[in-house]
PDB file of all heavy atoms in Angstrom:
ATOM      1  N   SER A   3     -10.362 -26.151  97.595  1.00 98.00           N
ATOM      2  CA  SER A   3      -9.874 -24.812  97.933  1.00 98.00           C
ATOM      3  C   SER A   3      -8.517 -24.899  98.617  1.00 98.00           C
ATOM      4  O   SER A   3      -8.141 -25.933  99.191  1.00 98.00           O
ATOM      5  CB  SER A   3     -10.861 -24.118  98.876  1.00 98.00           C
ATOM      6  OG  SER A   3     -10.926 -24.799 100.123  1.00 98.00           O
ATOM      7  N   ARG A   4      -7.798 -23.775  98.573  1.00 98.00           N
ATOM      8  CA  ARG A   4      -6.525 -23.727  99.288  1.00 98.00           C
ATOM      9  C   ARG A   4      -6.748 -23.919 100.784  1.00 98.00           C
ATOM     10  O   ARG A   4      -5.956 -24.589 101.463  1.00 98.00           O
ATOM     11  CB  ARG A   4      -5.831 -22.395  99.024  1.00 98.00           C
ATOM     12  CG  ARG A   4      -4.521 -22.244  99.801  1.00 98.00           C
ATOM     13  CD  ARG A   4      -3.706 -21.067  99.341  1.00 98.00           C
ATOM     14  NE  ARG A   4      -2.502 -20.917 100.147  1.00 98.00           N
ATOM     15  CZ  ARG A   4      -1.473 -20.152  99.822  1.00 98.00           C
ATOM     16  NH1 ARG A   4      -1.498 -19.473  98.697  1.00 98.00           N
ATOM     17  NH2 ARG A   4      -0.420 -20.061 100.610  1.00 98.00           N
ATOM     18  N   GLN A   5      -7.850 -23.365 101.297  1.00 98.00           N
ATOM     19  CA  GLN A   5      -8.143 -23.523 102.716  1.00 98.00           C
ATOM     20  C   GLN A   5      -8.271 -24.987 103.098  1.00 98.00           C
ATOM     21  O   GLN A   5      -7.808 -25.428 104.169  1.00 98.00           O
ATOM     22  CB  GLN A   5      -9.422 -22.772 103.080  1.00 98.00           C
ATOM     23  CG  GLN A   5      -9.307 -21.259 102.935  1.00 98.00           C
ATOM     24  CD  GLN A   5      -9.770 -20.789 101.570  1.00 98.00           C
ATOM     25  OE1 GLN A   5      -9.447 -21.390 100.542  1.00 98.00           O
ATOM     26  NE2 GLN A   5     -10.533 -19.714 101.539  1.00 98.00           N
ATOM     27  N   SER A   6      -8.909 -25.769 102.222  1.00 97.00           N
ATOM     28  CA  SER A   6      -9.033 -27.200 102.496  1.00 97.00           C
ATOM     29  C   SER A   6      -7.679 -27.885 102.481  1.00 97.00           C
ATOM     30  O   SER A   6      -7.388 -28.751 103.320  1.00 97.00           O
ATOM     31  CB  SER A   6      -9.960 -27.840 101.457  1.00 97.00           C
ATOM     32  OG  SER A   6     -10.041 -29.235 101.644  1.00 97.00           O
ATOM     33  N   MET A   7      -6.828 -27.510 101.529  1.00 97.00           N
ATOM     34  CA  MET A   7      -5.493 -28.093 101.460  1.00 97.00           C
ATOM     35  C   MET A   7      -4.700 -27.813 102.732  1.00 97.00           C
ATOM     36  O   MET A   7      -3.825 -28.586 103.112  1.00 97.00           O
ATOM     37  CB  MET A   7      -4.734 -27.538 100.252  1.00 97.00           C
ATOM     38  CG  MET A   7      -5.366 -27.812  98.896  1.00 97.00           C
ATOM     39  SD  MET A   7      -5.310 -29.543  98.419  1.00 97.00           S
ATOM     40  CE  MET A   7      -3.567 -29.812  98.221  1.00 97.00           C
ATOM     41  N   GLU A   8      -5.029 -26.702 103.389  1.00 97.00           N
ATOM     42  CA  GLU A   8      -4.276 -26.303 104.575  1.00 97.00           C
ATOM     43  C   GLU A   8      -5.007 -26.638 105.866  1.00 97.00           C
ATOM     44  O   GLU A   8      -4.607 -26.186 106.944  1.00 97.00           O
ATOM     45  CB  GLU A   8      -3.959 -24.813 104.483  1.00 97.00           C
ATOM     46  CG  GLU A   8      -3.032 -24.521 103.293  1.00 97.00           C
ATOM     47  CD  GLU A   8      -2.592 -23.085 103.203  1.00 97.00           C
ATOM     48  OE1 GLU A   8      -3.318 -22.204 103.713  1.00 97.00           O
ATOM     49  OE2 GLU A   8      -1.521 -22.842 102.623  1.00 97.00           O
ATOM     50  N   GLY A   9      -6.078 -27.446 105.775  1.00 95.00           N
ATOM     51  CA  GLY A   9      -6.762 -27.898 106.978  1.00 95.00           C
ATOM     52  C   GLY A   9      -7.561 -26.833 107.684  1.00 95.00           C
ATOM     53  O   GLY A   9      -7.751 -26.894 108.902  1.00 95.00           O
ATOM     54  N   GLN A  10      -8.067 -25.834 106.943  1.00 96.00           N
ATOM     55  CA  GLN A  10      -8.790 -24.713 107.552  1.00 96.00           C
ATOM     56  C   GLN A  10     -10.277 -24.733 107.218  1.00 96.00           C
ATOM     57  O   GLN A  10     -10.922 -23.688 107.212  1.00 96.00           O
ATOM     58  CB  GLN A  10      -8.169 -23.391 107.070  1.00 96.00           C
ATOM     59  CG  GLN A  10      -6.711 -23.224 107.457  1.00 96.00           C
ATOM     60  CD  GLN A  10      -6.096 -21.990 106.821  1.00 96.00           C
ATOM     61  OE1 GLN A  10      -6.720 -21.326 105.996  1.00 96.00           O
ATOM     62  NE2 GLN A  10      -4.869 -21.689 107.197  1.00 96.00           N
ATOM     63  N   THR A  11     -10.843 -25.896 106.943  1.00 96.00           N
ATOM     64  CA  THR A  11     -12.246 -25.958 106.551  1.00 96.00           C
ATOM     65  C   THR A  11     -13.039 -26.842 107.506  1.00 96.00           C
ATOM     66  O   THR A  11     -12.489 -27.715 108.179  1.00 96.00           O
ATOM     67  CB  THR A  11     -12.372 -26.504 105.120  1.00 96.00           C
ATOM     68  OG1 THR A  11     -11.622 -27.710 105.002  1.00 96.00           O
ATOM     69  CG2 THR A  11     -11.874 -25.502 104.109  1.00 96.00           C
ATOM     70  N   ASN A  12     -14.361 -26.603 107.539  1.00 94.00           N
ATOM     71  CA  ASN A  12     -15.237 -27.428 108.356  1.00 94.00           C
ATOM     72  C   ASN A  12     -16.518 -27.730 107.598  1.00 94.00           C
ATOM     73  O   ASN A  12     -16.617 -27.476 106.398  1.00 94.00           O
ATOM     74  CB  ASN A  12     -15.515 -26.765 109.716  1.00 94.00           C
ATOM     75  CG  ASN A  12     -16.255 -25.456 109.582  1.00 94.00           C
ATOM     76  OD1 ASN A  12     -17.018 -25.237 108.633  1.00 94.00           O
ATOM     77  ND2 ASN A  12     -16.032 -24.548 110.520  1.00 94.00           N
ATOM     78  N   VAL A  13     -17.533 -28.243 108.279  1.00 93.00           N
ATOM     79  CA  VAL A  13     -18.744 -28.725 107.618  1.00 93.00           C
ATOM     80  C   VAL A  13     -19.510 -27.622 106.906  1.00 93.00           C
ATOM     81  O   VAL A  13     -20.282 -27.894 105.982  1.00 93.00           O
ATOM     82  CB  VAL A  13     -19.642 -29.455 108.632  1.00 93.00           C
ATOM     83  CG1 VAL A  13     -20.275 -28.477 109.617  1.00 93.00           C
ATOM     84  CG2 VAL A  13     -20.700 -30.284 107.938  1.00 93.00           C
ATOM     85  N   ASP A  14     -19.320 -26.370 107.275  1.00 95.00           N
ATOM     86  CA  ASP A  14     -20.050 -25.263 106.661  1.00 95.00           C
ATOM     87  C   ASP A  14     -19.182 -24.416 105.739  1.00 95.00           C
ATOM     88  O   ASP A  14     -19.591 -23.319 105.343  1.00 95.00           O
ATOM     89  CB  ASP A  14     -20.671 -24.372 107.742  1.00 95.00           C
ATOM     90  CG  ASP A  14     -21.836 -25.053 108.442  1.00 95.00           C
ATOM     91  OD1 ASP A  14     -22.640 -25.699 107.744  1.00 95.00           O
ATOM     92  OD2 ASP A  14     -21.924 -24.960 109.676  1.00 95.00           O
ATOM     93  N   SER A  15     -18.020 -24.873 105.372  1.00 96.00           N
ATOM     94  CA  SER A  15     -17.135 -24.096 104.504  1.00 96.00           C
ATOM     95  C   SER A  15     -17.593 -24.204 103.056  1.00 96.00           C
ATOM     96  O   SER A  15     -17.579 -25.290 102.474  1.00 96.00           O
ATOM     97  CB  SER A  15     -15.691 -24.590 104.627  1.00 96.00           C
ATOM     98  OG  SER A  15     -15.199 -24.378 105.929  1.00 96.00           O
ATOM     99  N   ILE A  16     -17.999 -23.084 102.478  1.00 96.00           N
ATOM    100  CA  ILE A  16     -18.516 -23.044 101.113  1.00 96.00           C
ATOM    101  C   ILE A  16     -17.923 -21.837 100.391  1.00 96.00           C
ATOM    102  O   ILE A  16     -17.406 -20.908 101.016  1.00 96.00           O
ATOM    103  CB  ILE A  16     -20.061 -22.958 101.090  1.00 96.00           C
ATOM    104  CG1 ILE A  16     -20.535 -21.692 101.801  1.00 96.00           C
ATOM    105  CG2 ILE A  16     -20.691 -24.195 101.720  1.00 96.00           C
ATOM    106  CD1 ILE A  16     -22.039 -21.459 101.732  1.00 96.00           C
ATOM    107  N   GLY A  17     -17.993 -21.847  99.070  1.00 96.00           N
ATOM    108  CA  GLY A  17     -17.683 -20.671  98.271  1.00 96.00           C
ATOM    109  C   GLY A  17     -16.271 -20.157  98.395  1.00 96.00           C
ATOM    110  O   GLY A  17     -16.041 -18.952  98.339  1.00 96.00           O
ATOM    111  N   GLN A  18     -15.288 -21.047  98.501  1.00 97.00           N
ATOM    112  CA  GLN A  18     -13.917 -20.599  98.710  1.00 97.00           C
ATOM    113  C   GLN A  18     -13.110 -20.487  97.413  1.00 97.00           C
ATOM    114  O   GLN A  18     -11.988 -19.990  97.418  1.00 97.00           O
ATOM    115  CB  GLN A  18     -13.213 -21.563  99.680  1.00 97.00           C
ATOM    116  CG  GLN A  18     -13.859 -21.534 101.061  1.00 97.00           C
ATOM    117  CD  GLN A  18     -13.230 -22.520 102.022  1.00 97.00           C
ATOM    118  OE1 GLN A  18     -12.606 -23.501 101.617  1.00 97.00           O
ATOM    119  NE2 GLN A  18     -13.389 -22.274 103.308  1.00 97.00           N
ATOM    120  N   TRP A  19     -13.682 -20.961  96.319  1.00 97.00           N
ATOM    121  CA  TRP A  19     -13.076 -20.774  94.991  1.00 97.00           C
ATOM    122  C   TRP A  19     -14.203 -20.903  93.984  1.00 97.00           C
ATOM    123  O   TRP A  19     -15.368 -21.072  94.357  1.00 97.00           O
ATOM    124  CB  TRP A  19     -11.944 -21.769  94.744  1.00 97.00           C
ATOM    125  CG  TRP A  19     -12.368 -23.189  94.594  1.00 97.00           C
ATOM    126  CD1 TRP A  19     -12.822 -24.014  95.573  1.00 97.00           C
ATOM    127  CD2 TRP A  19     -12.393 -23.951  93.383  1.00 97.00           C
ATOM    128  NE1 TRP A  19     -13.137 -25.239  95.055  1.00 97.00           N
ATOM    129  CE2 TRP A  19     -12.876 -25.236  93.711  1.00 97.00           C
ATOM    130  CE3 TRP A  19     -12.048 -23.680  92.059  1.00 97.00           C
ATOM    131  CZ2 TRP A  19     -13.026 -26.248  92.763  1.00 97.00           C
ATOM    132  CZ3 TRP A  19     -12.194 -24.688  91.113  1.00 97.00           C
ATOM    133  CH2 TRP A  19     -12.668 -25.952  91.469  1.00 97.00           C
ATOM    134  N   GLY A  20     -13.913 -20.822  92.690  1.00 97.00           N
ATOM    135  CA  GLY A  20     -14.972 -20.748  91.696  1.00 97.00           C
ATOM    136  C   GLY A  20     -15.660 -22.056  91.389  1.00 97.00           C
ATOM    137  O   GLY A  20     -16.764 -22.330  91.856  1.00 97.00           O
ATOM    138  N   GLY A  21     -15.021 -22.944  90.622  1.00 97.00           N
ATOM    139  CA  GLY A  21     -15.650 -24.195  90.229  1.00 97.00           C
ATOM    140  C   GLY A  21     -15.190 -24.612  88.841  1.00 97.00           C
ATOM    141  O   GLY A  21     -14.213 -24.087  88.298  1.00 97.00           O
ATOM    142  N   VAL A  22     -15.914 -25.587  88.260  1.00 98.00           N
ATOM    143  CA  VAL A  22     -15.564 -26.158  86.958  1.00 98.00           C
ATOM    144  C   VAL A  22     -16.705 -25.898  85.986  1.00 98.00           C
ATOM    145  O   VAL A  22     -17.870 -26.198  86.290  1.00 98.00           O
ATOM    146  CB  VAL A  22     -15.292 -27.669  87.071  1.00 98.00           C
ATOM    147  CG1 VAL A  22     -15.002 -28.261  85.701  1.00 98.00           C
ATOM    148  CG2 VAL A  22     -14.136 -27.944  88.041  1.00 98.00           C
ATOM    149  N   VAL A  23     -16.391 -25.345  84.822  1.00 97.00           N
ATOM    150  CA  VAL A  23     -17.378 -25.025  83.786  1.00 97.00           C
ATOM    151  C   VAL A  23     -16.984 -25.774  82.519  1.00 97.00           C
ATOM    152  O   VAL A  23     -15.872 -25.605  82.011  1.00 97.00           O
ATOM    153  CB  VAL A  23     -17.427 -23.508  83.506  1.00 97.00           C
ATOM    154  CG1 VAL A  23     -18.449 -23.202  82.424  1.00 97.00           C
ATOM    155  CG2 VAL A  23     -17.738 -22.737  84.786  1.00 97.00           C
ATOM    156  N   ILE A  24     -17.893 -26.597  81.993  1.00 98.00           N
ATOM    157  CA  ILE A  24     -17.643 -27.329  80.752  1.00 98.00           C
ATOM    158  C   ILE A  24     -18.670 -26.886  79.716  1.00 98.00           C
ATOM    159  O   ILE A  24     -19.878 -26.921  79.976  1.00 98.00           O
ATOM    160  CB  ILE A  24     -17.708 -28.851  80.970  1.00 98.00           C
ATOM    161  CG1 ILE A  24     -16.704 -29.269  82.052  1.00 98.00           C
ATOM    162  CG2 ILE A  24     -17.426 -29.588  79.668  1.00 98.00           C
ATOM    163  CD1 ILE A  24     -16.717 -30.748  82.364  1.00 98.00           C
ATOM    164  N   LEU A  25     -18.179 -26.459  78.559  1.00 98.00           N
ATOM    165  CA  LEU A  25     -19.020 -25.880  77.518  1.00 98.00           C
ATOM    166  C   LEU A  25     -18.955 -26.746  76.267  1.00 98.00           C
ATOM    167  O   LEU A  25     -17.870 -27.105  75.808  1.00 98.00           O
ATOM    168  CB  LEU A  25     -18.536 -24.465  77.187  1.00 98.00           C
ATOM    169  CG  LEU A  25     -18.396 -23.530  78.391  1.00 98.00           C
ATOM    170  CD1 LEU A  25     -17.711 -22.240  77.981  1.00 98.00           C
ATOM    171  CD2 LEU A  25     -19.754 -23.232  79.002  1.00 98.00           C
ATOM    172  N   GLY A  26     -20.146 -27.063  75.715  1.00 98.00           N
ATOM    173  CA  GLY A  26     -20.184 -27.907  74.537  1.00 98.00           C
ATOM    174  C   GLY A  26     -21.050 -27.341  73.435  1.00 98.00           C
ATOM    175  O   GLY A  26     -21.598 -26.236  73.539  1.00 98.00           O
ATOM    176  N   ARG A  27     -21.202 -28.143  72.364  1.00 98.00           N
ATOM    177  CA  ARG A  27     -21.903 -27.713  71.159  1.00 98.00           C
ATOM    178  C   ARG A  27     -23.198 -28.487  70.937  1.00 98.00           C
ATOM    179  O   ARG A  27     -23.703 -28.557  69.817  1.00 98.00           O
ATOM    180  CB  ARG A  27     -20.971 -27.895  69.952  1.00 98.00           C
ATOM    181  CG  ARG A  27     -19.701 -27.074  70.059  1.00 98.00           C
ATOM    182  CD  ARG A  27     -18.697 -27.424  68.978  1.00 98.00           C
ATOM    183  NE  ARG A  27     -18.175 -28.773  69.159  1.00 98.00           N
ATOM    184  CZ  ARG A  27     -17.032 -29.215  68.616  1.00 98.00           C
ATOM    185  NH1 ARG A  27     -16.301 -28.407  67.873  1.00 98.00           N
ATOM    186  NH2 ARG A  27     -16.621 -30.454  68.800  1.00 98.00           N
ATOM    187  N   ALA A  28     -23.748 -29.057  72.002  1.00 98.00           N
ATOM    188  CA  ALA A  28     -25.029 -29.744  71.881  1.00 98.00           C
ATOM    189  C   ALA A  28     -26.161 -28.718  71.887  1.00 98.00           C
ATOM    190  O   ALA A  28     -25.991 -27.576  72.342  1.00 98.00           O
ATOM    191  CB  ALA A  28     -25.203 -30.742  73.017  1.00 98.00           C
ATOM    192  N   PRO A  29     -27.356 -29.094  71.396  1.00 97.00           N
ATOM    193  CA  PRO A  29     -28.474 -28.133  71.296  1.00 97.00           C
ATOM    194  C   PRO A  29     -28.928 -27.601  72.650  1.00 97.00           C
ATOM    195  O   PRO A  29     -28.870 -28.288  73.672  1.00 97.00           O
ATOM    196  CB  PRO A  29     -29.585 -28.966  70.640  1.00 97.00           C
ATOM    197  CG  PRO A  29     -28.872 -30.035  69.891  1.00 97.00           C
ATOM    198  CD  PRO A  29     -27.664 -30.383  70.739  1.00 97.00           C
ATOM    199  N   ILE A  30     -29.394 -26.365  72.619  1.00 97.00           N
ATOM    200  CA  ILE A  30     -29.960 -25.696  73.785  1.00 97.00           C
ATOM    201  C   ILE A  30     -31.245 -24.996  73.337  1.00 97.00           C
ATOM    202  O   ILE A  30     -31.545 -24.934  72.149  1.00 97.00           O
ATOM    203  CB  ILE A  30     -28.974 -24.668  74.374  1.00 97.00           C
ATOM    204  CG1 ILE A  30     -28.722 -23.526  73.381  1.00 97.00           C
ATOM    205  CG2 ILE A  30     -27.659 -25.349  74.743  1.00 97.00           C
ATOM    206  CD1 ILE A  30     -27.869 -22.395  73.938  1.00 97.00           C
ATOM    207  N   SER A  31     -32.001 -24.477  74.292  1.00 95.00           N
ATOM    208  CA  SER A  31     -33.227 -23.758  73.922  1.00 95.00           C
ATOM    209  C   SER A  31     -33.111 -22.249  74.092  1.00 95.00           C
ATOM    210  O   SER A  31     -34.028 -21.514  73.714  1.00 95.00           O
ATOM    211  CB  SER A  31     -34.410 -24.267  74.761  1.00 95.00           C
ATOM    212  OG  SER A  31     -34.185 -24.049  76.143  1.00 95.00           O
ATOM    213  N   ALA A  32     -31.997 -21.774  74.634  1.00 95.00           N
ATOM    214  CA  ALA A  32     -31.824 -20.334  74.860  1.00 95.00           C
ATOM    215  C   ALA A  32     -31.307 -19.662  73.597  1.00 95.00           C
ATOM    216  O   ALA A  32     -30.241 -19.046  73.583  1.00 95.00           O
ATOM    217  CB  ALA A  32     -30.886 -20.093  76.031  1.00 95.00           C
TER     218      ALA A  32
END
């Protein structure tokens, strides 16, 4: 997160940006 880059985070800092999503073509059950 930007907050981490700027030294504004601690042990309970969560949910400050989205994340990484990887999508593929392997079989699923849904």
Side-chain angles (χ1 to χ4, degrees):
S3 65
R4 177 169 177 166
Q5 294 93 317
S6 177
M7 299 291 294
E8 296 184 335
Q10 299 173 353
T11 50
N12 63 28
V13 71
D14 289 318
S15 296
I16 60 175
Q18 296 177 338
W19 69 288
V22 177
V23 180
I24 303 179
L25 307 171
R27 299 171 292 200
I30 65 174
S31 61

